[in-house]
Amino acid sequence: QQQVKQSPQSLIVQKGGISIINCAYENTAFDYFPWYQQFPGKGPALLIAIRPDVSEKKEGRFTISFNKSAKQFSLHIMDSQPGDSATYFCAASPGQKTSGSRLTFGEGTQLTVNP
Amino acid sequence: DGGITQSPKYLFRKEGQNVTLSCEQNLNHDAMYWYRQDPGQGLRLIYYSQIVNDFQKGDIAEGYSVSREKKESFPLTVTSAQKNPTAFYLCASSIRREYNEQFFGPGTRLTVL
């Protein structure tokens, strides 16, 4: 019940294309869903996050879509650029209301954007 | 500059030796975390601490130990009991409130020879 399943494991898109990464969860206590971006040899950095009271959140070229009934959420990267090439992790947390702020991460998606 | 520092960046140890990884933050965050990252497996939580002198086991605590004597410091010891210690270790911190962002350090790559 604590798992977050992420797909695909790897993704190759052309410059200017749309990158889509999907995550699914089982634990209904999760109520905070961040996405992290990680470059090789670096620590992850928060990209964008959503709470289940909204179905979509957009920041620049990055959009999270959230489907509470299906327990799924996805990251869309519009107009993908070579500089977006990185590993992306989805995560989920029950926030502080239940078991503290620990995050459960998906397995990661390695995105390559070809020029 | 505020942030999280981890040292060393690369660490080599011989089998059977304990080794301690350093994590320091000057963000005045209450909570700190240790994760292990292996290729294709995402980040797995080893230990976390929400307040000084208190910490909880994460999903893969066996073979690891931590201490939290100061708010800004959360060192991780990888003991000889950890069967597969070679990995990338990440420390994170956050303000202790709902929906809080975790900030990550640059990581320490540990290799057991």
Side-chain angles (χ1 to χ4, degrees):
Chain A
Q1 259 216 332
Q2 292 297 320
Q3 280 188 327
V4 176
K5 295 191 177 179
Q6 184 172 346
S7 63
Q9 195 171 12
S10 62
L11 179 63
I12 300 174
V13 301
Q14 292 300 118
K15 179 181 174 182
I18 302 173
S19 304
I20 302 174
I21 304 170
N22 301 298
C23 284
Y25 65 97
E26 290 294 327
N27 188 347
T28 54
F30 287 152
D31 60 0
Y32 171 65
F33 303 90
W35 284 89
Y36 282 81
Q37 179 189 56
Q38 184 181 30
F39 293 103
K42 307 291 185 186
L46 180 68
L47 195 59
I48 186 172
I50 196 168
R51 290 164 52 182
D53 50 350
V54 296
S55 60
E56 186 175 281
K57 183 174 180 181
K58 184 175 180 179
E59 289 184 3
R61 295 184 295 109
F62 300 93
T63 300
I64 299 179
S65 297
F66 184 79
N67 186 330
K68 188 173 182 178
S69 60
K71 289 184 282 188
Q72 294 175 349
F73 58 109
S74 60
L75 176 70
H76 295 233
I77 305 174
M78 312 299 287
D79 187 27
S80 299
Q81 299 296 312
D84 296 331
S85 297
T87 300
Y88 293 81
F89 293 96
C90 62
S93 167
Q96 289 279 15
K97 285 189 277 194
T98 54
S99 59
S101 58
R102 53 174 294 174
L103 288 169
T104 300
F105 283 84
E107 297 88 350
T109 296
Q110 188 166 350
L111 171 66
T112 302
V113 181
N114 289 327
Chain B
D1 279 337
I4 302 173
T5 56
Q6 290 186 244
S7 60
K9 188 170 176 65
Y10 299 96
L11 188 57
F12 299 88
R13 80 150 211 221
K14 292 182 181 178
E15 235 177 284
Q17 289 181 337
N18 292 356
V19 63
T20 297
L21 282 58
S22 168
C23 178
E24 304 275 334
Q25 55 97 359
N26 60 4
L27 300 166
N28 200 32
H29 286 172
D30 295 301
M32 297 186 74
Y33 313 81
W34 274 105
Y35 293 90
R36 171 183 170 136
Q37 185 173 23
D38 296 282
Q41 291 194 45
L43 282 74
R44 293 182 290 167
L45 183 65
I46 305 172
Y47 269 99
Y48 64 108
S49 166
Q50 297 199 2
I51 197 167
V52 174
N53 292 322
D54 187 40
F55 48 83
Q56 289 80 41
K57 291 182 180 179
D59 300 318
I60 55 164
E62 186 176 348
Y64 300 98
S65 66
V66 293
S67 62
R68 187 86 188 277
E69 297 175 1
K70 298 187 296 182
K71 187 175 183 179
E72 58 270 21
S73 178
F74 191 40
L76 173 75
T77 297
V78 184
T79 75
S80 56
Q82 170 48 233
K83 291 182 173 36
N84 275 318
T86 294
F88 190 48
Y89 289 88
L90 288 157
C91 178
S93 71
S94 67
I95 297 173
R96 192 163 169 253
R97 65 160 192 253
E98 233 175 354
Y99 310 121
N100 51 302
E101 175 184 355
Q102 288 188 22
F103 293 84
F104 283 83
T108 291
R109 186 165 298 281
L110 172 64
T111 303
V112 174
L113 304 172

